[in-house]
Amino acid sequence: MLLLVYLNCPALAQGGWKAGAARVNITPTENMWMAGFAMRTKPAEGKMHELWAKALAMEDAQGKRVLLITSDLLGFPKSISDRIRNAIQAKYKLQRSQVMLNSSHTHSGPVIGDALSDIYLYGPDQAKLVEQYSAELETKVTDLAGKALADLEPAELYVQNGVTRFQVNRRNNNAGLLPWVSDLNGPNDYAVPVIKVQTPSGKLKAVAFGYACHPTVLNGYQYSADYPGFAMLELEKTYPGATALFFQGAGADQNPLPRGSEALAKQYGKELAAAVERVLEEDMKKLTPAITTAYAEVRLPFTNLPDEVRLTQLATAGPEGYPRRWAARMLAKVKSNEPRDKDYPYPVEVWKLGDQPVIGLGGELVVDYSIRLKEIFGLDVFVMGYCNDVMSYIPSSRILREGGYEGSMACMVYGLPTAWSPETETIILQEVIKLAKEAQIPLRPVVL
């Protein structure tokens, strides 16, 4: 279903942009199980720094609004995302095409909802904490939307891409050999997209910025937003009173390497902050106050479902750990004649802010999508992954052919019934092009 929504509030129109920013602390008050790594064997043991959800509301000259919400979380599962967006629609009259929920994908935040349940080995007490925290998170994020909207005031918006280069393609480079390697293999996308929001007097009100790289520098037992958190802290120290928001790009197959220490997380955070600061200090493209949006959930098919014989084999003699637990759960469904999904409602969202295209795609998006979308829409397009629903990795056609973790194993981690079909990339790109046309975004093919 395609939704193209304009929210008209003529009484609010002032002939220019309005913007509002807000934040809410989402650091758990309890030591909860942490999300992202199957190797963890116990709950968190304190915090390195606070975790935040932040919101940037933007309103154009005709009173049309959009809301970008970022979060120091692994990702919003569909159930939680749907409830948050439904609540925002009910309370603030913003349709799904006007709200973009993005997660940084930090691996040092709490488990939420029922996401990745086969990899976490916690008991009933932790399950209760996860349930309680998830419910509180929904309320906090919904209220956060209202606070950002209430903060709307006249503003100017600017955009530009910067660059920094600490991401490493983890599929094509051996992390253990990095000290002896002089040439790294791609593909990569080193862009740092930046949205600057300033008051008419020139004071920086907010800066939203992104990068396509896993926040997996840290793997310990302290809550942390990883390198994006340190980047935001650095920017807010440099620009007192401004709100810094980080959005994750198509970084599913990109790792910060080397990694493994707080010092490295701080280093990468400072490198990313420096890239943003450079952009803020140079001439940026000023946006005209006009918004168009489009949203759809396209049915993304799975490949052939494994039968009872294959599931039995995996459950008894497959790799130990989550693959066996996944297979046992799927086998129970087969034996009880419980239906297994053959496709998935995949979220695709497109914004046009002035003449700046912004594309928000669900799941753990690999870098091939960013590269391909820039070939289609031009190098200045902003591409976000991890938007609105993080249900699994979203491999490209190339990665599906090659196999490996992102192509064939990640479905087990996320509890999906099997891997995605070979048509995945084509279906997603076609839907983006369709929505871009509805949002009046032109194709600008380039050769990279």
Side-chain angles (χ1 to χ4, degrees):
M1 180 177 67
L2 174 66
L3 297 174
L4 179 63
V5 180
Y6 299 106
L7 183 63
N8 292 306
C9 304
L12 297 176
Q14 297 292 326
W17 285 107
K18 287 185 177 181
R23 71 179 72 204
V24 61
N25 191 321
I26 58 170
T27 313
T29 56
E30 305 278 354
N31 286 331
M32 292 174 55
W33 212 268
M34 300 174 73
F37 288 120
M39 64 184 180
R40 289 192 175 111
T41 59
K42 58 184 179 181
E45 296 176 339
K47 63 187 177 184
M48 190 172 294
H49 54 234
E50 305 289 357
L51 305 179
W52 298 91
K54 300 177 182 179
L56 174 62
M58 292 166 280
E59 179 181 295
D60 73 4
Q62 301 303 315
K64 305 165 194 172
R65 295 175 175 179
V66 291
L67 189 64
L68 172 64
I69 298 176
T70 64
S71 59
D72 298 332
L73 296 168
L74 190 77
F76 287 102
K78 178 174 173 56
S79 57
I80 292 178
S81 174
D82 283 352
R83 286 193 291 270
I84 290 172
R85 289 180 293 163
N86 288 343
I88 290 174
Q89 180 176 354
K91 293 185 71 172
Y92 310 116
K93 311 306 179 186
L94 297 183
Q95 306 296 320
R96 290 198 176 183
S97 71
Q98 297 168 274
V99 179
M100 199 174 292
L101 291 178
N102 184 275
S103 297
S104 70
H105 198 56
T106 177
H107 283 44
S108 295
V111 172
I112 63 172
D114 57 357
L116 289 85
S117 58
D118 288 328
I119 76 169
Y120 304 130
L121 296 176
Y122 53 74
D125 290 345
Q126 281 292 316
K128 185 176 181 180
L129 287 178
V130 170
E131 182 180 358
Q132 292 173 344
Y133 176 85
S134 299
E136 292 170 0
L137 177 71
E138 292 177 24
T139 300
K140 285 184 175 182
V141 174
T142 302
D143 292 345
L144 172 69
K147 292 176 182 177
L149 293 167
D151 187 57
L152 285 167
E153 63 179 353
E156 297 172 345
L157 268 62
Y158 300 82
V159 294
Q160 197 63 271
N161 273 299
V163 63
T164 193
R165 299 180 182 271
F166 60 80
Q167 64 166 225
V168 176
N169 190 299
R170 71 187 192 191
R171 289 178 59 87
N172 300 325
N173 298 280
N174 187 326
L177 297 179
L178 283 184
W180 297 275
V181 173
S182 58
D183 293 314
L184 296 177
N185 297 314
N188 302 90
D189 180 4
Y190 300 115
V192 179
V194 178
I195 302 173
K196 179 172 73 172
V197 181
Q198 69 179 31
T199 65
S201 65
K203 179 177 173 57
L204 185 67
K205 180 180 181 70
V207 56
F209 64 101
Y211 195 53
C213 184
H214 254 67
T216 50
V217 182
L218 303 169
N219 59 11
Y221 289 89
Q222 288 185 299
Y223 295 127
S224 168
D226 209 275
Y227 76 81
F230 287 110
M232 287 184 282
L233 288 170
E234 190 74 15
L235 287 166
E236 290 178 352
K237 181 175 66 176
T238 303
Y239 303 99
T243 299
L245 306 89
F246 173 85
F247 53 84
Q248 184 58 250
D253 52 346
Q254 309 294 310
N255 273 354
L257 294 174
R259 57 182 178 165
S261 72
E262 181 179 350
L264 279 168
K266 289 180 178 178
Q267 174 186 325
Y268 298 143
K270 288 181 178 179
E271 289 180 22
L272 182 54
V276 175
E277 289 175 35
R278 190 267 293 177
V279 171
L280 294 175
E281 292 173 4
E282 293 183 344
D283 291 335
M284 299 180 68
K285 181 173 68 175
K286 188 173 184 177
L287 298 181
T288 56
I291 296 172
T292 55
T293 65
Y295 177 87
E297 292 182 4
V298 61
R299 305 304 303 195
L300 206 59
F302 297 118
T303 190
N304 295 332
L305 297 172
D307 60 19
E308 184 173 346
V309 173
R310 177 58 177 158
L311 289 172
T312 300
Q313 181 185 31
L314 288 171
T316 56
E320 294 186 0
Y322 69 81
R324 289 194 186 186
R325 292 192 291 273
W326 169 85
R329 189 165 56 82
M330 291 297 158
L331 183 60
K333 287 188 174 187
V334 171
K335 289 185 175 181
S336 64
N337 294 317
E338 183 179 343
R340 290 180 290 168
D341 293 332
K342 295 183 179 180
D343 57 23
Y344 191 93
Y346 180 77
V348 179
E349 188 164 5
V350 174
W351 289 355
K352 186 182 179 188
L353 306 177
D355 61 353
Q356 176 62 48
V358 180
I359 298 170
L361 299 175
E364 295 207 45
L365 199 70
V366 300
V367 76
D368 289 3
Y369 284 89
S370 181
I371 294 170
R372 188 73 184 97
L373 289 167
K374 289 183 178 185
E375 291 173 347
I376 296 170
F377 294 105
L379 295 177
D380 61 342
V381 65
F382 290 178
V383 179
M384 302 183 193
Y386 303 83
C387 284
N388 299 316
D389 178 10
V390 180
M391 75 301 291
S392 183
Y393 277 74
I394 306 300
S396 62
S397 299
R398 174 184 64 83
I399 288 177
L400 283 170
R401 290 193 302 270
E402 294 173 355
Y405 177 74
E406 294 87 353
S408 59
M409 292 292 290
C411 61
M412 297 181 183
V413 173
Y414 276 91
L416 296 182
T418 189
W420 300 108
S421 77
E423 297 82 25
T424 296
E425 181 179 347
T426 299
I427 292 171
I428 293 173
L429 293 178
Q430 286 178 342
E431 191 65 28
V432 172
I433 292 171
K434 176 183 175 183
L435 296 186
K437 182 177 180 180
E438 296 291 338
Q440 304 170 28
I441 296 173
L443 303 185
R444 295 171 178 166
V446 296
V447 178
L448 299 182

